[in-house]
Amino acid sequence: KNEVEQSPQNLTAQEGEFITINCSYSVGISALHWLQQHPGGGIVSLFMLSSGKKKHGRLIATINIQEKHSSLHITASHPRDSAVYICAVSFTTGGSEKLVFGKGTKLTVNP
Amino acid sequence: ETGVTQSPTHLIKTRGQQVTLRCSSQSGHNTVSWYQQALGQGPQFIFQYYREEENGRGNFPPRFSGLQFPNYSSELNVNALELDDSALYLCASSFARLAGGYRETQYFGPGTRLLVL
């Protein structure tokens, strides 16, 4: 069974701070996803990665396959970054794809 | 290019009733996944449809069923509703070529919030 653990559960930061959210998983995966969910429910896919590092604007995602660990970094954080950030992993079993989600990290960025 | 849409946005049902939720996938996508998100929890994978066939299922009972149509839109049906079925139901579409092991990022719809009384 693949477990996805995120830390921290809650994070409060001041505007401009560098933020790191961590994700660990327990079995081999085909890809790892970082998602952003705002109050009201809408989910936006930020990154899908299977190795290395990806960058989009102020967001950076890294993954270490050997250590089964990924991090999401936000540089120069802003109050509009306040949201729940969810890590999810996808893996295939018997040709079928399954996704397992972490419980999310609630980020609050204060002005 | 239109995004992923879901209908209805909100729904109230009573225990024992049946419900159908709908999802229109983004143009060019052939895969739809459904998720249930209870309040304060991360989403749970219900199932995925690829080119009209179920391609993977999470730990949900058979009263959760689905369909994918030739235009790749999809329905989620839940029979014999229970109070614990109250949740946000999310669908996500993507493009995949399973034979080659190729999958692209999933794009999520806004969700349907279901309340079972």
Side-chain angles (χ1 to χ4, degrees):
Chain A
K1 184 180 174 184
N2 203 353
E3 302 283 349
V4 178
E5 298 288 336
Q6 283 186 240
S7 62
Q9 278 189 300
N10 292 281
L11 183 55
T12 301
Q14 288 301 119
E15 184 173 356
E17 285 185 5
F18 179 82
I19 287 166
T20 296
I21 299 171
N22 296 298
C23 175
S24 297
Y25 53 94
S26 56
V27 301
I29 63 170
S30 54
L32 183 141
H33 310 257
W34 281 103
L35 311 166
Q36 180 193 57
Q37 187 170 33
H38 282 280
I43 287 183
V44 174
S45 179
L46 300 174
F47 296 102
M48 182 175 81
L49 65 166
S50 54
S51 64
K53 175 180 169 179
K54 286 190 176 181
K55 184 175 189 292
H56 182 69
R58 296 180 294 106
L59 302 178
I60 303 167
T62 63
I63 187 168
N64 185 317
I65 297 294
Q66 286 73 32
E67 295 186 3
K68 296 185 173 59
H69 180 269
S70 175
S71 293
L72 175 68
H73 306 285
I74 304 176
T75 61
S77 60
H78 190 276
R80 65 173 174 265
D81 297 328
S82 298
V84 174
Y85 292 83
I86 302 172
C87 169
V89 298
S90 55
F91 59 101
T92 54
T93 57
S96 297
E97 181 188 32
K98 294 189 189 299
L99 282 86
V100 177
F101 291 76
K103 292 186 178 178
T105 295
K106 184 176 180 182
L107 172 65
T108 304
V109 182
N110 294 317
Chain B
E1 179 181 279
T2 56
V4 181
T5 60
Q6 290 185 244
S7 63
T9 55
H10 296 80
L11 198 53
I12 300 176
K13 291 283 190 178
T14 56
R15 273 187 307 173
Q17 284 190 310
Q18 178 265 342
V19 68
T20 297
L21 310 182
R22 294 178 176 82
C23 173
S24 287
S25 56
Q26 187 163 308
S27 176
H29 288 179
N30 57 9
T31 303
V32 172
S33 302
W34 284 94
Y35 304 92
Q36 180 196 66
Q37 186 176 26
L39 199 61
Q41 301 294 316
Q44 297 285 321
F45 176 65
I46 304 175
F47 43 54
Q48 181 181 82
Y49 279 82
Y50 171 72
R51 297 179 69 180
E52 303 179 60
E53 291 192 2
E54 188 178 290
N55 176 56
R57 189 179 181 95
N59 294 324
F60 281 81
R63 59 189 185 85
F64 285 78
S65 63
L67 280 174
Q68 188 178 31
F69 299 100
N71 66 354
Y72 302 127
S73 65
S74 178
E75 286 182 356
L76 164 65
N77 298 291
V78 188
N79 293 323
L81 283 167
E82 300 176 1
L83 297 180
D84 285 349
D85 296 333
S86 296
L88 178 69
Y89 289 85
L90 296 158
C91 84
S93 75
S94 61
F95 176 78
R97 276 196 301 269
L98 295 191
Y102 176 76
R103 290 186 175 86
E104 294 183 352
T105 299
Q106 296 189 21
Y107 290 84
F108 284 80
T112 293
R113 197 166 292 280
L114 172 65
L115 177 62
V116 182
L117 301 176

